[in-house]
Amino acid sequence: MAGTLTCPMVADIIRRMDFDIGPLLESWEYQPGQIVARKFVGKDGKEKIQLRVDVGILQMNADGRPDGKRPMGCASLYDHYQVRLRQYVARHEGDDSQFRLGPEDCAKVHFETMQYHQRVFCLLALDDFAGAIRDGERNQAVFEFVRKYATQDLLAPFLQFIPQQILVLTRGRAGLCLSAEDYSEAIRHIGEGIEQIRAFFAEQERAEVAEQCPELLWLDAWLKEVSSQRPISKRERLERDLQEAVQAENYEKAAQVRDELRKLKP
């Protein structure tokens, strides 16, 4: 048939095309144990993210569904299932009590969620904290959706990622605060993340293993680091000086510091 490529013609084209990305990999070194990512604008005009992995490069969209697909014409599978829920509720006079996600539904949603989860780590490595928060909050909403509409036996793949989910959201929120040099708010977010992980393990009746959770240990260490870097206020400095003066029994200096403290606004 005119205009149709025969098998030999296809094979010849494939032989002549250069699929070797070796030079690209050689110019962008993989670093074990680190997330190595970069952003660029693709030929379609959309921002992309590339992640260097040990055997190659992964590429995803920086916004929307990472793989760029629109399942059932929706922005994501999560959006599709929300449409199905609204349709179900409309048919059942506002009652969603019997709406259920089946095993295949949960498997598909979980696969999609992991795409967003992977992108969150890239965004954090690129200091795109707003983007990381966006994707983290999106996944948080998905977890709550699945917990509400799936049976308990289908939740395990989602539950095992909740500590990581709390970690990435905490890193995004605290990172955004630190970029604005708001140490107090960053410390508050980290503390909340720590308590959320502990509460999760308590809810799962596994409180005894919480303190060995890698995500919790990481946040504990980060809290100490950020706290040590936080610039102290004039009041805090004077209070420290007062304590040191009293301990050294230097009462003259202590009196002077007290006077300075009294002059400060409450």
Side-chain angles (χ1 to χ4, degrees):
M1 180 183 296
T4 301
L5 294 178
T6 63
C7 288
M9 291 174 67
V10 172
D12 183 58
I13 289 174
I14 291 175
R15 278 195 297 270
R16 286 187 280 112
M17 291 179 68
D18 184 8
F19 290 98
D20 186 8
I21 62 171
L24 178 60
L25 299 181
E26 290 173 3
S27 67
W28 192 22
E29 186 178 353
Y30 172 67
Q31 300 176 30
Q34 296 185 37
I35 297 175
V36 182
R38 62 189 179 190
K39 279 185 179 182
F40 68 101
V41 177
K43 293 181 179 179
D44 58 1
K46 296 180 180 179
E47 193 172 42
K48 312 286 184 182
I49 294 175
Q50 287 183 340
L51 172 66
R52 182 69 164 91
V53 294
D54 56 345
V55 293
I57 296 172
L58 297 180
Q59 181 169 303
M60 63 196 85
N61 286 344
D63 196 10
R65 183 166 149 137
D67 62 8
K69 294 181 179 178
R70 292 184 58 84
M72 274 65 75
C74 295
S76 69
L77 272 173
Y78 172 53
D79 290 281
H80 165 67
Y81 284 112
Q82 286 184 308
V83 170
R84 282 181 49 179
L85 172 62
R86 289 194 292 270
Q87 292 171 341
Y88 180 94
V89 169
R91 292 195 305 269
H92 292 82
E93 300 179 348
D95 182 15
D96 69 346
S97 60
Q98 298 303 311
F99 181 82
R100 289 290 179 270
L101 297 172
E104 186 176 353
D105 300 322
C106 290
K108 290 178 179 178
V109 171
H110 181 262
F111 179 81
E112 179 182 79
T113 300
M114 291 304 101
Q115 288 188 3
Y116 284 87
H117 192 62
Q118 186 175 54
R119 186 168 69 187
V120 168
F121 282 103
C122 293
L123 292 167
L124 289 171
L126 294 166
D127 290 341
D128 184 350
F129 302 117
I133 294 169
R134 176 203 64 204
D135 282 356
E137 290 180 343
R138 181 262 179 202
N139 276 356
Q140 187 176 53
V142 173
F143 291 152
E144 293 306 315
F145 184 77
V146 173
R147 290 181 81 169
K148 184 174 182 180
Y149 295 112
T151 55
Q152 190 69 29
D153 59 305
L154 299 176
L155 298 182
F158 295 90
L159 292 176
Q160 68 177 335
F161 279 99
I162 285 183
Q164 272 196 24
Q165 167 65 21
I166 295 171
L167 170 66
V168 296
L169 254 180
T170 301
R171 285 182 60 188
R173 289 166 176 164
L176 194 62
C177 293
L178 289 174
S179 65
E181 298 186 358
D182 189 344
Y183 285 80
S184 297
E185 192 67 5
I187 288 169
R188 182 182 70 80
H189 281 301
I190 299 171
E192 285 182 355
I194 289 170
E195 292 309 311
Q196 287 170 7
I197 291 177
R198 289 192 176 123
F200 166 74
F201 281 105
E203 180 186 333
Q204 299 299 308
E205 299 182 350
R206 299 171 59 206
E208 70 283 356
V209 302
E211 299 307 318
Q212 300 305 313
C213 169
E215 292 81 10
L216 187 61
L217 293 172
W218 194 94
L219 286 177
D220 275 333
W222 195 32
L223 179 61
K224 292 184 178 68
E225 178 185 345
V226 173
S227 297
S228 68
Q229 294 172 347
R230 180 176 70 91
I232 64 173
S233 66
K234 185 175 182 180
R235 178 176 294 279
E236 289 172 321
R237 179 176 55 79
L238 288 172
E239 288 173 346
R240 183 194 61 191
D241 291 345
L242 175 60
Q243 184 179 17
E244 291 176 353
V246 171
Q247 289 176 346
E249 297 185 0
N250 188 343
Y251 300 114
E252 182 178 352
K253 181 179 179 180
Q256 292 173 349
V257 174
R258 284 195 190 95
D259 289 339
E260 290 188 59
L261 276 168
R262 292 191 187 101
K263 295 175 184 176
L264 292 179
K265 293 182 180 179

